[in-house]
Amino acid sequence: MSTVIRVIPCLDVNNGRVVKGVNFENLRDAGDPAELAHRYNNAGADEITFLDVTATTEQRDTTYELVNSTAKEVFIPLTVGGGIRSVEHVDQLLRNGADKVSISSAAVSNPDLLNEISNTWGAQVLVLSLDAQANPAMPSGYEVMIKGGKEGTGMDAIAWVQEAEERGVGEILINSIDADGTRDGFDVDMIKAVRAAVSVPLIASGGAGEPSHFPPAIEAGAQAVLAASLFHYGPDDMIGQVKDAIEAAGFTVRR
Amino acid sequence: MSAKKPTIAIADYGIGNLGSLANAFAYNGADVLVTSRGADLVAADGMVLPGNGAFGACKQAMDKLSISRWIGQRVSGGRPVLGLCVGHQVLFDDSTEFGSHEGMGEWPGTVEKLKAATVPHLGWNTIRPAQNSTIFAGLENERFYFAHSYAVLEWNFDQGIEVMEPPHVSWSNHGGDFIAAVENGPLTGIQFHPELSGYAGLQLLNNWLGTL
């Protein structure tokens, strides 16, 4: 690959505030999204992801105004997810400063939405957000989860990412519900399983607790790495520390 | 740049990351208008043609707004136009993406699929800027954000044609060389996304604003 490994801070936004919970529960306040986005833009982040974590459960659309004010602080790609159910939502988000959209639950209930978005704006605008957890009853051993990881779907996660790639997604964000919020490291086995099944770029998410956790996710096949609380609550130069660790493992980063 | 804010008209034909583009030009002190009106596109100090996704779908939507006519009017008067991503690709002859589609033919060349193992080419890459490039001045060693599966792989411009100044062509590489940018008098095309390329990208847009 000629491109560098991307380091992506994630803003999980609930009622206008950035929050972070353990295993998607007990949300805890981490600040104002526009303020944090500004800080990360200046600290060398390669992209920023904005996830409206309550959008799906509370059945409300992502707050366009909040995306708008956050986007004004960001001159790197901004991916927005949460509550996106139609091409009209995508159009509104792009007009308000989003560059990509991330679809999770809505794609499970309406897979054609992936085709509609990809056919209009192209694969590079569409990220499939895969919330999955280990389930030995599934053929691949992983089940697709929805509603912020609270509800199982009975769908096999690997069959699902292959279908999503055929439907035109340009990237897959792998979020392991088992690893999320634990700060014990990424779910390397899940990343390897998805890497073996699809050829689009992968973003590893869930479980990062220290810089040394990142290289194994890249070795497992991720082209980008995403974390939330590590950056929100860590020292200001944490993005730099993560890039140091990735570089020390022999991968290229943007400086 | 003069004390007066430059006016920038971003063509709104329904497909593009319009919000991000507007933010990046506003950051550089421009007065930004996102519009589908031909008169506004022609009147602004600078016109920007964005683009996301499929060549054919974009070109069809542009044709509904007679975009190539407004570009022609501007360029014949020596007034700057900047095409970005698919807005850059449509300035060439044609594209092979999902069938065969005609472009605006401002430059010779075909938009083809990148010959790389992984597409889309998505992320931060380096460029080999043309000598005397204006837009890359001071940015020769920076990385920029790319998000595309197709590009122009060969530059077939007949340098024997007598022009005021031959076009400046800059290159990048993903599974082979492709054209990253063309600077041709008032007409500039850029394959990547300067509006998403951090402070290097903002400086590049500022360099372009300096030509208005």
Side-chain angles (χ1 to χ4, degrees):
Chain A
M1 289 277 285
S2 44
T3 49
V4 299
I5 299 298
R6 291 170 282 148
V7 177
I8 309 175
C10 179
L11 311 174
D12 294 311
V13 181
N14 181 34
N15 297 325
R17 300 288 289 178
V18 177
V19 293
K20 190 58 198 174
V22 175
N23 292 329
F24 278 32
E25 302 286 343
N26 305 319
L27 303 174
R28 162 158 99 100
D29 191 84
D32 174 65
E35 251 177 64
L36 274 173
H38 179 75
R39 189 177 115 198
Y40 295 141
N41 183 74
N42 289 346
D46 298 309
E47 286 185 36
I48 290 175
T49 290
F50 178 117
L51 286 181
D52 197 346
V53 293
T54 52
T56 310
T57 26
E58 294 179 356
Q59 298 293 313
R60 68 174 166 77
D61 296 337
T62 303
T63 321
Y64 300 128
E65 274 177 35
L66 206 56
V67 170
N68 191 298
S69 60
T70 303
K72 287 196 165 58
E73 305 293 337
V74 174
F75 300 102
I76 52 180
L78 176 67
T79 303
V80 178
I84 300 164
R85 290 186 196 82
S86 67
V87 290
E88 289 73 27
H89 290 166
V90 178
D91 182 61
Q92 279 302 313
L93 287 169
L94 296 181
R95 287 178 186 278
N96 280 288
D99 302 296
K100 306 189 222 182
V101 293
S102 162
I103 313 280
S104 178
S105 300
V108 172
S109 54
N110 176 21
D112 288 343
L113 181 60
L114 298 177
N115 303 66
E116 289 169 28
I117 295 170
S118 186
N119 290 344
T120 307
W121 288 278
Q124 79 294 330
V125 90
L126 180 57
V127 181
L128 176 78
S129 176
L130 170 72
D131 289 339
Q133 74 179 28
N135 180 348
M138 295 289 128
S140 72
Y142 296 104
E143 181 181 8
V144 179
M145 307 296 289
I146 53 167
K147 309 284 180 190
K150 290 178 195 130
E151 202 178 302
T153 61
M155 287 166 64
D156 185 273
I158 298 305
W160 172 232
V161 293
Q162 286 175 322
E163 179 183 339
E165 184 180 44
E166 280 172 27
R167 287 178 178 274
V169 306
E171 278 178 287
I172 295 169
L173 168 65
I174 305 171
N175 190 41
S176 166
I177 301 300
D178 297 317
D180 185 66
T182 63
R183 313 195 68 160
D184 288 337
F186 290 94
D187 191 334
V188 170
D189 291 336
M190 190 187 284
I191 298 166
K192 281 182 185 162
V194 177
R195 178 74 291 161
V198 297
S199 64
V200 293
L202 302 181
I203 306 162
S205 162
E210 54 181 78
S212 69
H213 286 156
F214 289 82
I218 299 158
E219 280 151 16
Q223 279 73 40
V225 285
L226 177 145
S229 51
L230 177 71
F231 297 125
H232 304 335
Y233 305 118
D236 283 352
D237 69 339
M238 186 51 85
I239 290 172
Q241 288 188 35
V242 167
K243 288 192 171 185
D244 288 345
I246 293 171
E247 214 168 30
F251 302 101
T252 315
V253 295
R254 179 179 71 105
R255 293 293 189 179
Chain B
M1 234 182 293
S2 65
K4 189 180 164 295
K5 279 184 168 189
T7 56
I8 297 298
I10 300 174
D12 178 3
Y13 56 92
I15 309 170
N17 54 336
L18 300 165
S20 266
L21 262 177
N23 286 343
F25 281 104
Y27 176 90
N28 276 315
D31 212 343
V32 183
L33 181 67
V34 177
T35 179
S36 51
R37 288 189 60 224
D40 292 337
L41 293 170
V42 174
D45 296 327
M47 172 181 160
V48 176
L49 184 62
N52 264 152
F55 185 104
C58 282
K59 180 61 169 38
Q60 199 176 13
M62 289 176 195
D63 286 349
K64 281 187 186 151
L65 299 180
S66 307
I67 294 288
S68 64
R69 184 173 158 206
W70 313 131
I71 290 177
Q73 284 194 10
R74 292 192 61 98
V75 169
S76 62
R79 305 178 57 238
V81 175
L82 175 63
L84 298 173
C85 200
V86 180
H88 151 85
Q89 295 178 355
V90 296
L91 299 175
F92 288 85
D93 280 334
D94 50 19
S95 168
T96 60
E97 183 177 10
F98 301 132
S100 180
H101 303 277
E102 212 174 288
M104 296 183 189
E106 297 283 349
W107 300 315
T110 296
V111 181
E112 300 172 69
K113 188 144 197 178
L114 291 167
K115 294 178 171 63
T118 40
V119 285
H121 173 217
L122 215 146
W124 300 78
N125 208 340
T126 50
I127 37 101
R128 298 198 311 277
Q131 277 191 338
N132 308 319
S133 164
T134 302
I135 58 173
F136 290 112
L139 301 170
E140 292 80 1
N141 299 314
E142 297 289 345
R143 284 181 182 271
F144 297 92
Y145 184 80
F146 291 79
H148 63 121
S149 301
Y150 287 74
V152 178
L153 310 181
E154 290 171 23
W155 178 244
N156 294 319
F157 188 86
D158 182 356
Q159 301 286 354
I161 297 172
E162 279 198 32
V163 288
M164 303 278 280
E165 193 180 357
H168 303 301
V169 181
S170 301
W171 297 83
S172 186
N173 185 290
H174 182 66
D177 282 353
F178 67 87
I179 293 176
V182 178
E183 295 163 76
N184 180 198
L187 192 61
T188 302
I190 300 177
Q191 176 60 66
F192 56 87
H193 289 275
E195 77 280 10
L196 305 182
S197 299
Y199 290 104
L202 292 171
Q203 182 57 49
L204 184 149
L205 292 178
N206 202 40
N207 288 347
W208 179 73
L209 286 169
T211 68
L212 303 188

